Amino acid sequence: MKKMKKLVAFLLVAAMMVPMAACGNKVKSVGDIQKSGKLVMATNAEFEPFEFKDGDAVVGIDVEISQKIADRLGVELEISDIAFDTLITALQSGKADIVAAGMTADEDRRKNVDFSDAYFNASQAIIVMNDSDIASRGDLNGKKVGVQLGTTGDKYCTNEDGANDIEVAEVKRYSKGMEAVSDLIAGRIDAVVIDDFPAKKLVEKNADKIQKLDEALTEEEYAIAMPKGSADLQKEINAVISEMKESGELDQIVSKYIAEE
Ligand code: GLN
């Protein structure tokens, strides 16, 4: 009998969630976020120096920018640390209000989300072993390359649309850049393609074995993503970014994380 009651209760809750999920698709206004008392930032905390774990805390450049946004709205910042390739879905389902994840504002993503103004210029970089015969972009041809699943580095190496002239032998996709680097060091792949700044951090930790090549594969801009149709939130976020740029605070934050070795 008890079991039955539990089942009924479960079914009731499940039934109630259907309309709630439907409501979740309604884009939250700034007022809604303020009423909820929190700004939910979704990220993938495996991307030092933009977001990474310091003990239990998620810290980094994106966290500091998002904290400023939360402060401006007068709400708490809540961080949701999830897989990179699920970030956009989290926005679309209403589970997150913003994505701050060193995310490149690229045209494909623009179909599904709105982006703030850019706050950082980035590029894709190549990491290889110190004794590798790969010295430049062209040497990636025919090689096994590790990337982070669902990133612009993945897109570049997979080259589905033939946007560049590189044809790698195999693209191995990892959920964390660190795992790709471990496989590189173990000899399972020949190179890792990942964002320039995180590449620098990964190499610093293993400088006796691996190196980052100087050549930049792409030109990208990081921006904060939000659900499509978030015009009022976008305005607030852009105001924070432009204030942080003008006051020099953004540069200060960035250099703090680069200097911290
Ligand atoms: N900038 C890259 C992208 O947007 C990688 C971001 C990341 O791995 N956090 O796809």
Side-chain angles (χ1 to χ4, degrees), residues 201-219:
K201 288 285 176 191
L202 289 165
V203 167
E204 273 168 14
K205 294 190 176 99
N206 299 281
D208 54 328
K209 300 190 189 81
I210 58 173
Q211 56 172 322
K212 179 177 91 63
L213 301 183
D214 289 335
E215 191 174 3
L217 299 180
T218 56
E219 273 181 35

Side-chain angles (χ1 to χ4, degrees), residues 51-196:
E51 40 272 329
F52 57 104
K53 284 183 213 108
D54 182 6
D56 283 341
V58 176
V59 297
I61 297 166
D62 285 331
V63 178
E64 298 211 22
I65 297 172
S66 300
Q67 184 62 57
K68 285 270 162 193
I69 299 166
D71 291 348
R72 182 179 173 98
L73 303 182
V75 296
E76 293 292 318
L77 179 68
E78 186 179 299
I79 302 176
S80 165
D81 179 19
I82 57 178
F84 186 81
D85 65 322
T86 64
L87 290 170
I88 289 192
T89 317
L91 281 183
Q92 290 174 319
S93 66
K95 283 199 189 108
D97 302 315
I98 60 170
V99 164
M103 184 175 270
T104 302
D106 87 338
E107 290 318 309
D108 285 340
R109 292 177 181 146
R110 271 185 208 283
K111 291 176 198 153
N112 298 311
V113 295
D114 284 346
F115 279 107
S116 70
D117 291 338
Y119 61 87
F120 194 81
N121 293 328
S123 64
Q124 294 300 307
I126 306 169
I127 303 176
V128 292
M129 297 300 286
N130 284 336
D131 60 359
S132 172
D133 56 358
I134 300 173
S136 69
R137 205 177 72 93
D139 298 333
L140 290 177
N141 278 311
K143 293 290 197 306
K144 273 193 209 165
V145 184
V147 298
Q148 239 187 309
L149 175 68
T151 60
T152 43
D154 183 355
K155 193 173 161 187
Y156 185 90
C157 293
T158 305
N159 199 16
E160 212 172 65
D161 47 7
N164 61 68
D165 55 358
I166 299 298
E167 256 186 66
V168 305
E170 191 192 332
V171 179
K172 276 198 87 179
R173 301 179 179 84
Y174 302 83
S175 58
K176 300 173 186 176
M178 195 59 224
E179 290 169 356
V181 164
S182 300
D183 261 11
L184 175 68
I185 293 171
R188 285 189 277 266
I189 51 176
D190 305 307
V192 174
V193 168
I194 193 165
D195 296 46
D196 186 66

